[in-house]
Amino acid sequence: MLKRTFSLAWKIPKWSFELASWGKSFKNNPIIGNYWLNLLGLHVFRVVVAHALFRFRLVLLSPLVPLDYRKEFIKNGYILKKNFLSEEQFLRLAKELNQFEGPVREIIEGTTVTQRIFMDYKERKRAPEFNALVENKLLDRLMRYCSSKNRPPLFYIENLCNHENVNPRPDPQRDLHADTFHPCVKGWLYIDETDNSNGAYVYVPGSHSLSWKRLKWEYKESLEACKKGADREPGRYWDGSFRVSREDLSKMEYQVEKLSVPANTLVIGNVYGFHCRGEAVQKSKRMTVWMQARDNPFNPLFTPFPKVTARAFEGIWKKALERLDQGKINSGEQRNFYGSLSRPDDKEAADKP
Ligand SMILES: [Fe+2]
């Protein structure tokens, strides 16, 4: 009894903090996942307030980015820029990343093996071309604006190895979904071109905006997500990254778009908009510089010190990743090693259409 009281005394402030910040799990947080509170509109209230504050911060940060980019981001939910770097700079960067050795985290999702190297400032010291990209003024300003937080993102090298896992399990990344309940961005600079062979990024333009139909869908999903025990579907669905069916997409009048792009294309997407990893029809690889910027959606302000804040976030995130490692390694979902990323072998290159 005493133990339970202590446990609750610690958990209630934690759950409350999550509720007032980026917490999204209906499963792990009984306030966020409370059926009666959601019947009264708790989830929808969080969605609306988070979106209003996001738009407010975007207005304040608008001097950072030219009007064309802002219009594209607000209208479609993503920015796509081909030939982002000069040809010479891109070739130097691609060469560096193909040869780079570092601490790799390898995760299994479905038949895909995802390899990532977290490129914090220490790793970047050994990668001058990568560092030059991080210092790129346009990229810096776009990410600071689109995240609405004025903070440079966390940087990774990401390498997808399609059809690498021979014991497939469900791949949550292949279903159309919103990452969370609030706007936040991810970015990709494509080192490989993308097409059906290696799984192009799929996005639903306009699905990042709130409409009446979308709010009704959010309400319905929030009640579904409160279901418990055997009523709850297995998998990641209920953790707050809602999956959307093709039927619901057409009810909301959305069209799905596949972003097959050449190498050296930059994509920055608001991942509240529906998106997924496209199907890869053959064994293949897809390397990107991957960027992620997620922050407290209910803080109406942003940092006035982008670089210092980014450095602090890198430090905190590195520690968090190290904490998460052991559980994932024990469950067989992840392995860590030091080395280079797997790149296409001769046969894969020859099979490419
Ligand atoms: Fe996602």
Side-chain angles (χ1 to χ4, degrees):
M1 178 69 185
L2 198 63
K3 198 176 164 191
R4 190 174 148 72
T5 311
F6 272 125
S7 163
L8 269 181
W10 179 79
K11 279 180 180 164
I12 289 173
K14 178 178 172 275
W15 293 333
S16 305
F17 171 75
E18 286 172 359
L19 178 71
S21 59
W22 47 74
K24 65 173 183 172
S25 176
F26 283 69
K27 190 175 165 184
N28 300 330
N29 187 315
I31 306 176
I32 292 171
N34 183 286
Y35 179 81
W36 297 104
L37 289 175
N38 283 306
L39 195 67
L40 290 171
L42 173 66
H43 173 71
V44 173
F45 176 74
R46 295 180 86 214
V47 170
V48 171
V49 173
H51 277 75
L53 291 173
F54 177 70
R55 285 300 181 101
F56 171 69
R57 293 187 300 264
L58 283 188
V59 170
L60 297 182
L61 289 171
S62 56
L64 279 176
V65 169
L67 183 62
D68 286 355
Y69 287 115
R70 281 186 271 140
K71 275 188 178 165
E72 189 183 350
F73 185 62
I74 302 265
K75 181 171 174 261
N76 296 328
Y78 67 87
I79 289 170
L80 190 154
K81 187 166 169 53
K82 292 180 183 170
N83 299 314
F84 182 69
L85 296 175
S86 71
E87 201 182 332
E88 303 75 49
Q89 195 186 349
F90 176 75
L91 290 174
R92 287 199 305 269
L93 175 68
K95 188 176 174 201
E96 181 177 274
L97 299 193
N98 276 310
Q99 295 171 348
F100 189 76
E101 291 193 358
V104 180
R105 288 180 168 83
E106 194 175 75
I107 309 149
I108 300 170
E109 292 177 306
T111 56
T112 313
V113 172
T114 303
Q115 300 176 329
R116 288 194 187 119
I117 300 178
F118 179 44
M119 296 294 284
D120 69 345
Y121 72 98
K122 280 188 185 154
E123 296 299 333
R124 296 202 297 266
K125 277 185 188 160
R126 304 188 294 114
E129 294 301 327
F130 194 98
N131 209 38
L133 174 71
V134 172
E135 297 291 326
N136 181 293
K137 250 199 174 111
L138 178 59
L139 178 66
D140 180 62
R141 285 172 165 245
L142 284 171
M143 289 302 295
R144 281 163 54 201
Y145 168 77
C146 293
S147 68
S148 86
K149 287 292 184 176
N150 200 28
R151 171 173 67 82
L154 301 169
F155 288 90
Y156 295 81
I157 310 169
E158 181 182 78
N159 188 48
L160 301 186
C161 309
N162 296 301
H163 300 288
E164 203 68 34
N165 177 31
V166 289
N167 296 312
R169 44 173 106 179
D171 182 351
Q173 303 298 338
R174 302 274 179 199
D175 301 324
L176 279 164
H177 63 279
D179 272 12
T180 185
F181 69 94
H182 60 88
C184 54
V185 299
K186 286 181 179 164
W188 299 263
L189 178 72
Y190 289 90
I191 304 300
D192 298 314
E193 68 170 328
T194 64
D195 50 28
N196 287 339
S197 70
N198 60 1
Y201 185 58
V202 174
Y203 194 85
V204 181
S207 63
H208 65 297
S209 287
L210 288 187
S211 63
W212 182 241
K213 283 181 180 169
R214 178 66 183 271
L215 281 177
K216 279 195 340 197
W217 181 85
E218 292 282 351
Y219 184 70
K220 175 175 76 83
E221 292 300 306
S222 72
L223 296 182
E224 281 294 308
C226 292
K227 289 181 177 170
K228 300 276 188 294
D231 291 338
R232 195 198 291 277
E233 277 188 18
R236 282 188 57 202
Y237 182 92
W238 303 120
D239 70 359
S241 302
F242 292 164
R243 266 57 191 162
V244 63
S245 67
R246 295 277 166 169
E247 197 190 338
D248 282 345
L249 273 183
S250 66
K251 275 189 203 160
M252 288 184 272
E253 298 169 41
Y254 292 139
Q255 302 288 330
V256 179
E257 205 171 289
K258 193 183 288 180
L259 305 181
S260 297
V261 294
N264 196 15
T265 298
L266 175 73
V267 173
I268 298 175
N270 177 347
V271 286
Y272 174 74
F274 295 124
H275 62 280
C276 68
R277 196 179 275 170
E279 288 296 335
V281 298
Q282 65 185 62
K283 196 168 179 186
S284 53
K285 307 285 189 298
R286 194 186 88 181
M287 185 192 265
T288 55
V289 172
W290 185 62
M291 295 157 268
Q292 191 185 36
R294 192 179 290 187
D295 213 318
N296 183 353
F298 299 119
N299 178 357
L301 305 173
F302 46 77
T303 175
F305 309 109
K307 286 210 159 152
V308 177
T309 316
R311 181 69 69 91
F313 263 74
E314 278 185 357
I316 294 166
W317 186 238
K318 192 171 186 177
K319 291 226 153 46
L321 276 178
E322 285 163 2
R323 266 202 313 275
L324 293 169
D325 276 348
Q326 208 49 54
K328 289 183 179 175
I329 291 168
N330 290 345
S331 71
E333 177 187 359
Q334 180 178 314
R335 80 176 175 119
N336 290 8
F337 64 91
Y338 192 93
S340 55
L341 299 163
S342 312
R343 298 300 290 147
D345 55 33
D346 293 345
K347 183 169 181 323
E348 283 172 34
D351 284 349
K352 201 164 161 49

